[in-house]
Amino acid sequence: MSGNVEHKSDDVNHDAKEASSADQTSMTTSGSGSYILLFFLLGLALSMVAGWVVFPKLLYTQKKQPLDFNHKLHLKEVDSDCASCHFFREDGTFSGVPALEQCLDCHYEKLGESVEETLFVEQYVDKGRQVPWLVYSRQPDCVFFSHSAHIYGANLECRTCHGDIGHSESLKPYEENRITGYSKNIWGSNIAGLKQATWDRMKMDDCAQCHETAGIHDSSVQTGRDACFVCHK
Amino acid sequence: MKLSRRCFLSFVVGGAAGTALSPLPWKLTDDLSIWSQNWSWTPVPPDGEYTQVNSTCTLCPGGCGIGIRKAGKRAVKIEGLAGHPVNDGGVCLLGLSGLQLLYGPARVKTPLKRTGKRGGGQWQAISWKQAIKEVTEKLKELRKKNQPQSLASIGPNGSGTVSALISRFMKAYGSSNDMKMASKLDSDEQALFLTQGIQNGMVGADVENADFILSFGCAVLDGYGSPVRMFRANSRWKENSATLIQIEPRQSNTAAKADQWLPINPGGEADLALAMANIIIKENLYNSSFVSDNCDGLNSFVQMLYENYMPEDAARRIGIDVQTIIDLAHRFATAARPLAINGYGKGQNPSNLKETLAIHALNALVGNIGKKGGITGLSAYDYIRWPKVVTDTVAAAGLKESRLDGAGTNAFPHAKSLPNRFFDKLSAGNTSIQALLVAEANPCYSMPDTAKIKRVFDSIPFIVSFSSFMDETAMMADLILPNHTFLERYEDVPVKAGLTAPIVGLCRPAVEPQWDTLDLGDALIRIAQSIGGSVGAAFPWKNYKTCLKQTLADQWKDLEKKGYWMPSQSLQADADSKNKAGGKSGRYVLMDGTLETIYMAQDAPLEGDSRSYSMLLMPYDTIRITSLQIGAPPFVMKTVPDTVLKGQDGFIEINKKEATEMGFKQGQAVIVTTPIGEARVRVHLSSGLAPGVIAMPRGLGHTAYDDYLAGKGVNINQLIGPVEDPASGLDTALGIRAKLAKA
Ligand code: SF4
């Protein structure tokens, strides 16, 4: 402890000296000031790089989907677009990512010779295991979302929120937020949270923004307003 | 360049400014908040398709229709079924918490064999094959020794196939020691036979349509009869401005919410009902056309009343003034649709036969039998029509030996089963029982004088429990063959709990069996078949589901679709034909020789002498604590107020003034002592209890189950002994003498 104290008093002395010399030559003053500015800028720059570049890199980890999936190919084969596999159940609830049972409707036996198909049949179909898909749009459990209200009620298209995934030929890597465990697609790929397309982000503000622009102010059954209870039951 | 302190500081300030201008803090804050919602121990509902399975709750005799909501394979919620004739969408606290029984830690997860001392809780998991083999070997041995009658069973008091399969097994095996747990339904059944000649019947009370309800101690709002139905009836009374009068010594929940609470001395119900009958007849307020057309024995009934139940004498015994009785009699007799209902508390224990008859007689006097808003005698469910058991010589010889409990003998001709007497006999040194099967009953907890019952269990060489849960009785077993819970199995549920029309609900599996358990019916079928011979032949079914399907035959499809079946017409027709056979068609017997003996008999005295035990300890029932074979799950226990249970300490209610005189303060620890046992409790001072009476809830003080239930409070059955009603042979103890001392 005492060492520290001494060291501090040294600093004070040193500052005092510097201050007194500043009175003598203006040269020295401007030199010292520019250093300070330099260090300020250095700190600013480094932290900006850390915040804008390094942090997002560190925040997400890339995960591979258990299988690759060709949406485009499947879309060509089915009759009712997205709803062929992502359908509404009789009670109005949304089935979400298909369970193995649905895949089996067609893939009860191997279709074709692709590597992915072989993997799928051997690892999942034959073993009766569900494919542990990583869902890009998965929301926390505190979020209540009705697909039915948005598709049938508001006539939204799937792509409004999910983008053009239906035409992709392969699944992009799943970037998992190391802290929350959710996909990068929720916050959006822009770390500043800026977006261009409606499907670039899936945060609460995005829901609110859309409700706001569409002039929806009464969508909560409980409160008759458009506040917390709409999504957080 | 020198790296001055200022440079360093400006670097830090620059860094801070840069960080603030980057998304880092804002994004991190957002992420951390989400992270905090996703801690691994935070329960998260499972994902999956939402489905619903409609079933029937079997956690109490109520028979409510329930819908089990599922997400994927997991059951996530139990709701009452809207439109169901019993509960129309309602559900009680216990039913709602049923999932905790399914997924809770008290489950017996595989067949178990005792390894350590009996009751020591040391078990070895065994396979079903071995479990069945062990039971079979033991039972075969007894039959080989020509002692089939040394096997006894204790099962549920039901009319469905489970109860019937146990009885059938006992019969085919060759033992008449087939005990069923007793309840108010037994005393009602005997009363119904004596007054209306209906055998094995049940009393329906049209509570919904009554407008003046006289409840003789019934816990209308605390689990009486079919509990949810009673809640709904109560709401209906409120809407229709009906009057509910609650007659009981303690200011229960029901008393507090009734239009009038009439505190009487404990055990005064029969006196009050008969004194009212006396007044109603004397003042000619009875329904003379009904009585003269339908009732037998009015004159001798009146004579008996005038000799023994004059209002003044009764008033003294009951502890209320004559005028109150007179007023009550007037109001009852002149109400448009009066109804008197009987059975103390939830009705889980039998009532005194005299009291039951007296209360039924009140209904008869006002012409309230078989009418809207009245009581109706319903005949037994008889859809189980299995071929007669063909016994072999061993079984036939065994069945000739009389039952240990004396049910059906001259002393108790109308009793079907008297478990209290069974245990009394064994406790008095009878060693004839060598093996015992226990299913859907927890006698080591729920029968009075638990220490005695446990001693009896200890003396029986071989005990098999079929319990789904590690309850007190399972703890005393040698083998546990765990049954599925009600959410994992099929069962027919013929409801008897006071409904006006018969209804059979279907309990069906909502989820796959969670553990290595087996339906009780299947276990019995397997045991019987592996004993073989005539025993196996009595169980010709492939499995229990087939048995159930065949039994319900034409009704099965409907049951599967609707979830219940109302066999009204056929049963009523049957009832009528039985009445005729008994020569009492449509008649109500107010008095005959048998009834006279019952009315004239002295009440069985309370146990203990009043000098050393100056107080009377009574049990009370509350819907917040389950008290039958199902232990209360954690959700239920959470609702118990801390004047009943605080931490691990149970409370005893005592009159406030009396407690103060005795120097007791609220919450003070005391020792309650009865002739049977003693326990440490805390006092709760109450103004809703007469001096001299102390009360404790039923359902606490478990020693088994799990940490959420075990060790909380005191089991009142530890302090109370059975009191046999001489008329019925049933245990109808209303309490016991007791004393309190500072701990
Ligand atoms: S009242 Fe009885 S049958 Fe009805 S839900 Fe409650 S426990 Fe189940």
Side-chain angles (χ1 to χ4, degrees):
Chain A
M1 271 313 278
S2 61
N4 274 344
V5 174
E6 271 171 35
H7 182 74
K8 252 191 188 162
S9 62
D10 275 0
D11 267 5
V12 174
N13 288 341
H14 175 78
D15 278 1
K17 270 182 223 151
E18 222 175 78
S20 63
S21 65
D23 290 340
Q24 291 159 14
T25 59
S26 58
M27 255 309 273
T28 330
T29 314
S30 76
S32 166
S34 60
Y35 278 142
I36 290 167
L37 188 65
L38 188 70
F39 275 98
F40 176 81
L41 290 175
L42 193 66
L44 189 76
L46 283 178
S47 61
M48 295 272 266
V49 170
W52 286 95
V53 184
V54 183
F55 168 64
K57 281 240 158 60
L58 288 177
L59 185 62
Y60 297 104
T61 165
Q62 282 212 352
K63 281 195 170 169
K64 234 184 102 194
Q65 292 281 3
L67 282 178
D68 197 14
F69 185 87
N70 188 334
H71 271 95
K72 195 171 171 183
L73 183 74
H74 281 83
L75 206 54
K76 260 193 269 163
E77 301 289 330
V78 296
D79 302 326
S80 346
D81 291 343
C82 309
S84 313
C85 300
H86 308 283
F87 57 89
F88 285 91
R89 302 191 188 97
E90 262 174 41
D91 63 354
T93 57
F94 184 62
S95 64
V97 177
L100 183 68
E101 291 70 34
Q102 281 141 245
C103 308
L104 288 184
D105 283 348
C106 304
H107 291 262
Y108 49 86
E109 57 185 16
K110 209 160 133 185
L111 299 177
E113 288 302 324
S114 74
V115 183
E116 296 300 323
E117 176 71 11
T118 313
L119 190 65
F120 174 57
V121 173
E122 282 176 4
Q123 289 302 311
Y124 301 101
V125 177
D126 291 353
K127 292 183 181 171
R129 276 171 54 200
Q130 296 290 343
V131 186
W133 297 114
L134 301 164
V135 185
Y136 305 107
S137 51
R138 203 167 85 82
Q139 294 282 341
D141 283 301
C142 57
V143 183
F144 176 90
F145 180 84
S146 161
H147 274 88
S148 176
H150 291 85
I151 301 293
Y152 296 132
N155 283 325
L156 292 188
E157 281 182 52
C158 304
R159 70 192 287 272
T160 312
C161 303
H162 295 285
D164 275 329
I165 196 155
H167 296 109
S168 67
E169 290 184 4
S170 125
L171 294 178
K172 60 187 172 189
Y174 180 88
E175 291 182 79
E176 187 187 88
N177 184 314
R178 289 180 203 264
I179 300 174
T180 65
Y182 292 103
S183 160
K184 187 177 183 178
N185 296 71
I186 305 299
W187 178 271
S189 51
N190 185 307
I191 192 71
L194 301 174
K195 64 174 183 181
Q196 273 142 14
T198 45
W199 53 81
D200 280 348
R201 265 173 62 101
M202 278 187 161
K203 290 290 289 179
M204 188 170 88
D205 289 346
D206 304 288
C207 303
Q209 189 187 29
C210 191
H211 277 220
E212 186 65 38
T213 40
I216 302 162
H217 298 297
D218 57 356
S219 55
S220 166
V221 181
Q222 286 93 338
T223 60
R225 290 191 291 143
D226 202 48
C228 318
F229 267 123
V230 183
C231 310
H232 305 293
K233 303 279 179 190
Chain B
M1 174 186 103
K2 255 196 284 171
L3 214 100
S4 71
R5 183 170 160 270
R6 283 188 177 190
C7 294
F8 177 72
L9 283 178
S10 62
F11 179 75
V12 171
V13 172
T19 307
L21 288 174
S22 86
L24 191 141
W26 324 113
K27 175 76 174 124
L28 212 54
T29 311
D30 187 80
D31 283 353
L32 285 175
S33 74
I34 297 173
W35 170 70
S36 72
Q37 294 162 9
N38 287 324
W39 287 328
S40 60
W41 55 86
T42 313
V44 172
D47 278 336
E49 184 177 359
Y50 290 122
T51 48
Q52 175 161 328
V53 179
N54 293 347
S55 183
T56 302
C57 177
T58 63
L59 298 178
C60 91
C64 295
I66 49 169
I68 298 109
R69 294 197 24 97
K70 290 173 68 181
K73 287 204 165 113
R74 192 169 170 101
V76 291
K77 192 180 180 202
I78 296 181
E79 303 171 323
L81 268 191
H84 193 278
V86 174
N87 56 322
D88 190 15
V91 69
C92 84
L93 177 59
L94 175 62
L96 200 69
S97 317
L99 296 182
Q100 292 192 322
L101 295 170
L102 172 68
Y103 295 120
R107 293 285 305 268
V108 180
K109 295 167 182 159
T110 146
L112 294 178
K113 183 182 177 171
R114 173 167 70 87
T115 54
K117 238 178 62 213
R118 183 170 267 169
Q122 279 170 308
W123 305 96
Q124 179 198 349
I126 55 173
S127 68
W128 272 101
K129 210 170 143 204
Q130 193 190 340
I132 302 279
K133 194 172 139 230
E134 297 219 2
V135 179
T136 311
E137 273 172 9
K138 184 73 203 176
L139 297 189
K140 269 184 163 170
E141 193 186 304
L142 291 178
R143 269 172 64 88
K144 214 182 252 160
K145 288 197 253 170
N146 285 324
Q147 291 178 343
Q149 71 280 8
S150 66
L151 172 71
S153 69
I154 303 176
N157 181 4
S159 310
T161 50
V162 169
S163 178
L165 277 177
I166 300 174
S167 298
R168 187 173 178 85
F169 181 84
M170 295 302 286
K171 194 157 189 198
Y173 184 83
S175 171
S176 48
N177 284 313
D178 172 25
M179 304 296 146
K180 307 283 180 200
M181 294 298 277
S183 76
K184 161 189 182 274
L185 297 176
D186 293 75
S187 34
D188 274 355
E189 194 179 300
Q190 292 200 30
L192 194 59
F193 179 75
L194 293 173
T195 54
Q196 300 186 56
I198 301 173
Q199 280 264 11
N200 298 335
M202 49 204 179
V203 178
D206 188 11
V207 288
E208 289 86 352
N209 289 309
D211 72 351
F212 188 89
I213 303 93
L214 213 51
S215 153
F216 285 85
C218 315
V220 171
L221 298 178
D222 264 312
Y224 175 79
S226 180
V228 176
R229 176 208 182 206
M230 294 308 292
F231 293 152
R232 301 177 64 83
N234 182 60
S235 317
R236 199 152 151 184
W237 297 336
K238 293 261 137 50
E239 277 163 27
N240 299 346
S241 315
T243 306
L244 170 65
I245 313 265
Q246 183 70 4
I247 301 156
E248 74 176 302
R250 176 178 169 270
Q251 191 187 41
S252 63
N253 220 350
T254 310
K257 291 187 177 137
D259 298 276
Q260 188 188 342
W261 168 44
L262 204 62
I264 59 168
N265 287 341
E269 289 84 355
D271 277 324
L272 176 60
L274 292 170
M276 284 175 66
N278 186 327
I279 295 160
I280 290 172
I281 296 174
K282 197 156 89 193
E283 301 192 13
N284 229 336
L285 294 170
Y286 66 96
N287 184 332
S288 53
S289 65
F290 177 86
V291 172
S292 61
D293 290 352
N294 299 285
C295 296
D296 295 333
L298 178 67
N299 290 341
S300 44
F301 184 62
V302 175
Q303 197 184 340
M304 181 276 296
L305 291 178
Y306 287 176
E307 279 168 20
N308 297 281
Y309 295 95
M310 290 311 282
E312 294 75 17
D313 303 336
R316 228 174 305 117
R317 293 194 293 261
I318 306 166
I320 53 177
D321 63 277
V322 185
Q323 198 50 48
T324 311
I325 305 183
I326 296 174
D327 287 348
L328 197 62
H330 288 174
R331 287 166 74 195
F332 183 73
T334 53
R337 288 189 308 279
L339 174 68
I341 52 176
N342 68 294
Y344 179 70
K346 292 178 184 170
Q348 289 174 350
N349 290 59
S351 299
N352 180 306
L353 203 51
K354 185 203 281 186
E355 171 190 327
T356 311
L357 289 167
I359 297 167
H360 285 196
L362 270 185
N363 285 315
L365 286 179
V366 292
N368 211 3
I369 308 295
K371 295 239 169 70
K372 191 175 169 190
I375 62 167
T376 313
L378 300 167
S379 75
Y381 288 96
D382 69 344
Y383 59 89
I384 301 177
R385 291 173 183 159
W386 297 330
K388 251 181 96 112
V389 176
V390 182
T391 49
D392 60 6
T393 46
V394 180
L399 288 170
K400 283 214 182 85
E401 300 286 325
S402 50
R403 291 172 65 100
L404 265 194
D405 62 354
T409 59
N410 285 342
F412 309 108
H414 312 302
K416 271 194 314 199
S417 168
L418 301 166
N420 49 309
R421 287 183 53 84
F422 172 76
F423 282 109
D424 282 349
K425 273 272 164 64
L426 293 179
S427 151
N430 184 310
T431 54
S432 61
I433 299 302
Q434 296 297 307
L436 176 67
L437 309 177
V438 192
E440 303 202 0
N442 187 7
C444 288
Y445 173 82
S446 62
M447 289 193 65
D449 200 351
T450 43
K452 180 184 82 186
I453 306 278
K454 277 192 184 155
R455 275 199 303 277
V456 170
F457 267 72
D458 229 358
S459 72
I460 299 174
F462 183 69
I463 300 171
V464 181
S465 159
F466 293 91
S467 179
S468 305
F469 307 101
M470 191 52 94
D471 60 26
E472 285 77 1
T473 308
M475 284 291 288
M476 294 298 285
D478 298 285
L479 280 172
I480 309 179
L481 274 59
N483 192 2
H484 299 324
T485 63
F486 76 117
L487 296 170
E488 300 160 310
R489 70 169 184 248
Y490 276 103
E491 191 178 341
D492 49 328
V493 190
V495 188
K496 279 172 122 184
L499 306 185
T500 46
I503 171 168
V504 183
L506 180 67
C507 169
R508 67 181 129 198
V511 293
E512 297 276 298
Q514 301 294 302
W515 303 101
D516 187 16
T517 54
L518 186 68
D519 193 288
L520 168 60
D522 285 316
L524 277 178
I525 292 173
R526 280 205 212 169
I527 294 170
Q529 289 175 352
S530 82
I531 292 177
S534 58
V535 183
F539 288 76
W541 306 282
K542 201 172 101 226
N543 53 35
Y544 174 62
K545 193 175 170 192
T546 322
C547 162
L548 191 60
K549 255 168 119 169
Q550 284 175 10
T551 308
L552 287 156
D554 299 342
Q555 267 68 44
W556 179 258
K557 270 217 179 86
D558 256 14
L559 258 175
E560 278 227 296
K561 212 164 88 204
K562 243 177 35 186
Y564 61 88
W565 159 52
M566 298 187 76
S568 50
Q569 293 86 358
S570 64
L571 269 187
Q572 250 359 86
D574 253 29
D576 289 348
S577 72
K578 270 189 198 141
N579 279 353
K580 277 189 197 105
K584 290 175 176 177
S585 175
R587 304 210 51 89
Y588 191 97
V589 180
L590 277 173
M591 189 68 143
D592 63 7
T594 319
L595 267 63
E596 181 160 6
T597 329
I598 297 171
Y599 280 131
M600 302 300 277
Q602 288 289 321
D603 288 342
L606 285 169
E607 198 165 348
D609 71 284
S610 55
R611 249 166 304 157
S612 15
Y613 299 100
S614 59
M615 307 182 101
L616 170 67
L617 170 66
M618 286 188 82
Y620 70 87
D621 285 342
T622 152
I623 193 120
R624 292 164 192 251
I625 310 175
T626 61
S627 37
L628 272 183
Q629 77 276 12
I630 303 290
F635 278 166
V636 173
M637 289 304 287
K638 281 282 173 216
T639 67
V640 178
D642 65 2
T643 49
V644 175
L645 178 74
K646 194 170 189 176
Q648 305 291 94
D649 294 342
F651 281 71
I652 194 162
E653 266 180 42
I654 179 172
N655 177 282
K656 209 176 208 164
K657 223 173 111 210
E658 190 180 24
T660 320
E661 279 163 21
M662 290 170 80
F664 296 148
K665 286 198 200 71
Q666 171 70 24
Q668 183 169 344
V670 293
I671 301 287
V672 50
T673 312
T674 72
I676 299 292
E678 61 166 44
R680 188 178 188 278
V681 282
R682 288 164 181 264
V683 288
H684 170 53
L685 312 193
S686 157
S687 32
L689 209 58
V693 181
I694 45 180
M696 277 170 69
R698 282 202 182 101
L700 291 178
H702 278 280
T703 52
Y705 288 95
D706 48 33
D707 290 347
Y708 304 104
L709 189 59
K712 292 194 190 314
V714 171
N715 180 4
I716 189 161
N717 291 319
Q718 209 174 294
L719 301 169
I720 287 187
V723 177
E724 188 178 304
D725 175 8
S728 64
L730 293 161
D731 160 37
T732 56
L734 60 95
I736 193 164
R737 294 204 186 281
K739 61 183 175 192
L740 285 185
K742 281 185 187 156

